[in-house]
Amino acid sequence: MPISSGVVQQHKASCWDRVKMGFTMGFCVGMASAAILTGFSAVRYRLRGRELITQLGKSMVQGGGTFGVFMAIGMGIRC
């Protein structure tokens, strides 16, 4: 089987793309860690139903947003 001799061009991500990627990765990691920690805490306090979902949702968005901002700032500094 012959090997193609085509030229492969790599696209270098812009600084804004890196900052967005940093925020997205930080948001995902922050949400996951908040879900785990808040989940254990909610089980400990015996939260059920609407209380559990409300507490878990607020905590996940806060944790994700906070960690996402710090990751975005870190990626912006590295540009």
Side-chain angles (χ1 to χ4, degrees):
M1 177 176 231
I3 299 173
S4 66
S5 62
V7 177
V8 177
Q9 295 180 357
Q10 293 183 351
H11 171 71
K12 185 175 179 184
S14 69
C15 188
W16 177 244
D17 289 336
R18 288 181 181 193
V19 169
K20 287 191 299 186
M21 186 186 315
F23 179 80
T24 304
M25 288 176 11
F27 193 82
C28 292
V29 170
M31 282 186 69
S33 63
I36 292 169
L37 295 175
T38 305
F40 286 130
S41 177
V43 168
R44 182 175 170 210
Y45 291 124
R46 301 188 195 288
L47 295 179
R48 298 281 187 251
R50 185 174 298 221
E51 293 174 322
L52 174 66
I53 299 301
T54 303
Q55 186 70 23
L56 194 62
K58 284 181 184 178
S59 173
M60 286 174 69
V61 171
Q62 279 182 330
T66 302
F67 200 70
V69 167
F70 284 118
M71 284 288 288
I73 291 170
M75 291 299 278
I77 289 172
R78 290 184 61 191
C79 284

